[in-house]
């Protein structure tokens, strides 16, 4: 499934999947965009999530949704399928970012499109003080679990 929707003032929402892969320039742009918004994430981890979403490595696939004005990415989501849809949601929004100068209505409309395309349960991880928590709560997300992590030793 492929779509490109024009919203206002020349902005487009673009979907990439395994069947509508991003070209090398678009992939570099996504990695750069998320790298700017997630300075503590490695470019390798962003690339890995992108490759899994587009099935360029063994995975269940997923999608990359972006809001672009001309050639500039203003918001984007990398969603990976989990292969589950019971106890664990069917999709995880691995990276979600948007430029801070986008108005709330535009961000919510974009995130609603991502939620709609996921067609089912969605999980995402945010820091406790992340400014987007309110947006996700406005879309019906709720806090259910505390995540604990152990580093490989």
């Amino acid at each position: 499934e492929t779509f490109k929707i024009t919203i206002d003032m020349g902005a487009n929402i673009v979907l990439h999947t395994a069947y509508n892969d991003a070209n090398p320039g678009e992939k570099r742009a996504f990695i750069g965009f998320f790298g700017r918004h997630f300075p503590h994430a490695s470019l390798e981890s962003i690339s890995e999530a992108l490759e899994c979403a587009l099935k360029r490595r063994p995975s269940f696939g997923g999608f990359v949704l972006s809001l672009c004005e001309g050639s500039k990415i203003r918001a984007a989501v990398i969603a990976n399928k989990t292969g589950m849809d019971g106890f664990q949601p069917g999709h995880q929004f691995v990276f979600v970012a948007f430029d801070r100068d986008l108005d709330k209505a535009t961000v919510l409309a974009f995130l609603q499109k991502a939620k709609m395309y996921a067609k089912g349960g969605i999980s995402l991880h945010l820091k406790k003080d992340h400014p987007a928590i309110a947006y996700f709560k406005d879309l019906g997300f709720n806090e259910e679990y505390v995540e604990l992590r152990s580093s490989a030793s």
Side-chain angles (χ1 to χ4, degrees):
E1 187 175 343
T2 301
F3 69 82
K4 184 175 184 177
I5 301 170
T6 300
I7 53 174
D8 58 36
M9 295 183 281
N12 294 302
I13 294 178
V14 181
L15 172 71
H16 291 284
T17 67
Y19 305 105
N20 177 36
D21 198 356
N23 67 44
E26 290 168 324
K27 289 177 185 176
R28 282 190 302 277
F30 285 127
I31 292 167
F33 177 77
F34 286 112
R36 285 188 301 280
H37 284 274
F38 293 94
H40 299 296
S42 72
L43 298 181
E44 292 79 19
S45 66
I46 296 167
S47 181
E48 179 182 24
L50 184 63
E51 289 175 6
C52 287
L54 300 175
K55 288 191 66 84
R56 296 294 152 240
R57 62 173 50 209
S59 69
F60 292 104
F63 63 90
V64 180
L65 192 68
S66 60
L67 172 68
C68 300
E69 290 177 352
S71 62
K72 183 179 181 192
I73 300 170
R74 300 294 314 277
V77 173
I78 297 176
N80 291 151
K81 287 183 181 178
T82 65
M84 299 174 272
D85 206 17
F87 178 71
Q88 294 291 326
H91 282 85
Q92 181 178 16
F93 285 1
V94 181
F95 288 100
V96 178
F98 49 88
D99 289 343
R100 292 189 186 267
D101 64 335
L102 284 177
D103 64 273
K104 183 177 181 177
T106 300
V107 172
L108 288 175
F110 172 73
L111 294 174
Q112 185 62 41
K113 282 282 187 206
K115 185 178 174 186
M116 178 193 74
Y117 193 73
K119 298 178 187 159
I122 303 163
S123 67
L124 66 140
H125 298 101
L126 297 171
K127 300 278 186 189
K128 292 179 184 180
D129 60 348
H130 196 285
I133 289 175
Y135 292 149
F136 286 103
K137 286 184 175 181
D138 285 350
L139 292 171
F141 285 78
N142 56 56
E143 297 175 52
E144 289 190 25
Y145 302 101
V146 172
E147 178 179 314
L148 305 174
R149 291 188 178 200
S150 173
S151 299
S153 13

